[in-house]
Amino acid sequence: MVTNIADAVPRLKRLIPRLRGKRIGVLGDLMLDRYLWGTASRLSPEAAVPVVDFVEQSECLGGAGNVAANIATLGARVEAFGVTGNDEPGRALQKCLRAANIADKGVLADSKRVTTVKTRIIAKHHHVVRVDQERREPLRTETQERLLRLLFSALKHLDALVLSDYDKGLITDDFADRVLSAAHQLHVPVFVKPKTSRLYAYRGARAIVCNAKEAGFYVTRSLADEQSVEEAGRALLAHFGCSAVVITRGEKGMSLFEESSPRHIHIPATGLEVTYARVGQPGVERGATGRQVFDLTGAGDTVLSVLALAAAAGAPLADATMLANTAAGVVVGKLGTASVSPQELTRALQEIHD
């Protein structure tokens, strides 16, 4: 069933103020996104690559940190849980958390680990290259137990928990099972962005969010048409033993499958175009058809964030998914890791309605 977002806009706009003040925990692989900005007007004589003249450096939260930042920007009270290295990037990450008004008592610094850093070099709004610094080994047992104690103590105060798995060693099958069991006992809904290396770790989640490529991996076939998407969604509900599955499909929008409903809901991408001139700016412009995506960095994080927050505010999952779809449409029009404010989200909904 195809859903028309325009018909739901008045309802979705009333939902936005209800997001403020909700208490959301974000557990997962915290990362630092570092940007080196510069200009490029010549090629290197050593190789066919641009020479970037450095102008400035900036940094922001990535991975599970970006999920937390998205939720905080929409006015919720966010508590982050994860592990960094006891290093300069870890301290920079902690500084970013505090600047975003995200509680960081659940973030541990482990001298045996390194903080995951993704460094992007940007020249004249062109993403030239990305350099990753990371290690993926599982947490030490003592570190995992400390983290779980902090999380379990906080769970009773949370309206929802987001589990953001980037396969950096924090989350294992046993770890995820203990987290989901504890959340279930306290009636705290869990929203999960899974990794394909863990096939059964998230059973009992309120909703699983994955993209079409990940969904295809789980069901061992590509999702080439609507029928294959329908079959994959139903299979994933059983596979994860969860209440709902959201498959993000890029320019084709999103599909929501709920255990309680025999029919899935397809939410098309909005008929708005993000133009090059608006990179890094709020809002969108009307274009011909479909969407010109400039930068997909963090779009999946935005979907997960808004879906969880809207559901925690009492919205049906269909409405939560439509709001998440709209928020992602704003974020892909910005260069780099970004979040969406209540004002931007309201404006985007109004443009859809108009």
Coordinates of all heavy atoms in Angstrom, one line a residue, residues 205-206 234 237-238 241-245 256-263 317:
A205 N 13.4 -6.9 19.1 CA 13.4 -5.5 18.9 C 12.1 -4.9 18.5 O 11.3 -5.7 17.9 CB 14.5 -5.1 17.9
R206 N 11.8 -3.7 18.8 CA 10.6 -3.0 18.4 C 10.6 -2.8 16.9 O 9.6 -3.0 16.2 CB 10.4 -1.7 19.1 CG 9.2 -0.9 18.7 CD 7.9 -1.5 19.1 NE 6.7 -0.8 18.7 CZ 6.1 -1.0 17.5 NH1 6.5 -1.9 16.7 NH2 5.0 -0.3 17.2
R234 N 8.7 -9.6 4.9 CA 8.0 -10.6 5.7 C 9.0 -11.6 6.3 O 8.9 -12.1 7.4 CB 7.0 -11.3 4.8 CG 5.8 -10.5 4.4 CD 5.0 -10.0 5.6 NE 4.2 -8.9 5.3 CZ 3.6 -8.1 6.2 NH1 3.8 -8.4 7.5 NH2 2.9 -7.1 5.9
L237 N 10.9 -10.1 9.3 CA 10.1 -10.1 10.5 C 10.3 -11.4 11.3 O 10.5 -11.4 12.5 CB 8.6 -9.9 10.2 CG 8.1 -8.4 9.9 CD1 6.7 -8.5 9.4 CD2 8.3 -7.5 11.1
A238 N 10.2 -12.5 10.6 CA 10.4 -13.8 11.2 C 11.9 -14.0 11.6 O 12.2 -14.5 12.7 CB 9.9 -14.9 10.3
G241 N 12.5 -11.9 14.6 CA 11.5 -12.0 15.7 C 11.2 -10.7 16.3 O 11.0 -10.5 17.5
C242 N 11.0 -9.6 15.4 CA 10.8 -8.3 15.9 C 9.4 -7.8 15.5 O 8.7 -8.5 14.7 CB 11.8 -7.3 15.3 SG 11.8 -7.3 13.5
S243 N 8.9 -6.7 16.0 CA 7.6 -6.2 15.7 C 7.5 -5.5 14.3 O 6.4 -5.5 13.7 CB 7.2 -5.2 16.8 OG 7.2 -5.8 18.1
A244 N 8.6 -5.0 13.9 CA 8.5 -4.2 12.6 C 9.9 -4.2 11.9 O 10.9 -4.3 12.6 CB 8.0 -2.8 12.8
V245 N 9.9 -4.1 10.6 CA 11.1 -3.9 9.8 C 10.9 -2.7 8.9 O 9.8 -2.6 8.2 CB 11.4 -5.2 9.0 CG1 12.5 -4.9 7.9 CG2 11.8 -6.3 9.9
L256 N 7.6 -0.2 5.1 CA 7.4 -0.6 6.5 C 6.6 -1.9 6.6 O 5.5 -1.9 6.0 CB 6.7 0.5 7.3 CG 6.1 0.2 8.6 CD1 7.2 -0.1 9.6 CD2 5.2 1.3 9.2
F257 N 7.1 -2.8 7.3 CA 6.5 -4.1 7.5 C 6.2 -4.2 9.0 O 7.1 -4.1 9.8 CB 7.3 -5.3 7.0 CG 7.6 -5.2 5.6 CD1 8.7 -4.4 5.1 CD2 6.8 -5.9 4.6 CE1 9.0 -4.4 3.8 CE2 7.1 -5.8 3.3 CZ 8.2 -5.0 2.8
E258 N 5.0 -4.5 9.4 CA 4.6 -4.7 10.8 C 4.0 -6.1 11.0 O 3.2 -6.6 10.2 CB 3.7 -3.7 11.3 CG 4.3 -2.3 11.4 CD 3.4 -1.3 12.1 OE1 3.4 -1.3 13.4 OE2 2.6 -0.5 11.4
E259 N 4.5 -6.7 12.1 CA 4.0 -8.1 12.4 C 2.4 -8.1 12.5 O 1.8 -9.0 12.2 CB 4.6 -8.5 13.7 CG 4.4 -10.0 14.0 CD 5.0 -10.4 15.4 OE1 5.1 -9.5 16.3 OE2 5.5 -11.5 15.5
S260 N 1.9 -7.0 13.0 CA 0.4 -6.9 13.3 C -0.4 -6.5 12.0 O -1.6 -6.5 12.1 CB 0.2 -5.8 14.3 OG 0.7 -4.5 13.9
S261 N 0.3 -6.3 10.9 CA -0.5 -5.9 9.7 C -0.1 -6.8 8.5 O 1.1 -7.1 8.3 CB -0.1 -4.5 9.3 OG -0.7 -4.1 8.1
P262 N -1.1 -7.3 7.8 CA -0.9 -8.2 6.7 C -0.3 -7.5 5.5 O 0.2 -8.1 4.6 CB -2.3 -8.8 6.4 CG -3.2 -7.7 6.9 CD -2.6 -7.1 8.1
R263 N -0.5 -6.1 5.4 CA 0.0 -5.4 4.3 C 1.1 -4.4 4.7 O 1.1 -3.8 5.7 CB -1.1 -4.6 3.7 CG -2.3 -5.4 3.2 CD -3.4 -4.6 2.6 NE -3.0 -3.9 1.4 CZ -3.7 -3.0 0.7 NH1 -4.9 -2.6 1.2 NH2 -3.2 -2.4 -0.4
L317 N 3.9 3.5 14.1 CA 5.1 3.4 13.3 C 5.0 3.9 11.9 O 5.9 4.4 11.3 CB 5.5 1.9 13.3 CG 6.4 1.4 14.4 CD1 6.9 0.0 14.2 CD2 7.5 2.4 14.7

